[in-house]
Amino acid sequence: MKIPRINTTKGKQPVTVVPDNVLVEGFLNSDAPAEYIDVVRLLEYAEPDAEKNGAILRQCLEGKARLLPVYPGVGEKEPTGAKLVGSIMDGGLYLVPIR
């Protein structure tokens, strides 16, 4: 996941300059592509604690993992080695490690 930029008092900077507890909010207000925004909104829903969802998003931005929504009702299954972040409408959001 490419690191989007946000406006700060020091100009445009990578969203990762903010602490975990506001990282998701910063990401949602950044210049990130729409498909990433949609997945991060699911993260906010699956894990409402700002500190925890920010730490999860930081892993994704650092290239250590990716977020994957899984909808069992349409035949999708969780990937091997994935960790459930939380429930989303009609499915679950998983954190998949990148090897």
Side-chain angles (χ1 to χ4, degrees):
M1 179 182 291
K2 184 180 174 199
I3 299 174
R5 302 177 73 73
I6 56 172
N7 289 320
T8 69
T9 56
K10 296 178 182 178
K12 279 207 171 237
Q13 293 199 356
V15 70
T16 52
V17 299
V18 300
D20 286 349
N21 65 339
V22 292
L23 185 57
V24 168
E25 181 182 343
F27 188 93
L28 293 174
N29 292 304
S30 73
D31 61 2
E35 66 268 15
Y36 292 149
I37 295 285
D38 291 343
V39 173
V40 173
R41 284 189 203 281
L42 291 175
L43 172 60
E44 194 173 40
Y45 181 82
E47 176 50 74
D49 181 272
E51 192 72 37
K52 290 178 184 176
N53 64 30
I56 291 167
L57 179 56
R58 192 171 300 279
Q59 287 180 53
C60 296
L61 293 170
E62 291 173 349
K64 297 176 182 174
R66 66 184 177 94
L67 292 169
L68 179 68
V70 175
Y71 301 98
V74 295
E76 295 178 352
K77 296 181 181 177
E78 72 178 78
T80 304
K83 178 183 172 193
L84 178 66
V85 173
S87 295
I88 57 174
M89 187 84 108
D90 298 328
L93 185 66
Y94 289 84
L95 187 65
V96 181
I98 295 175
R99 296 181 173 95

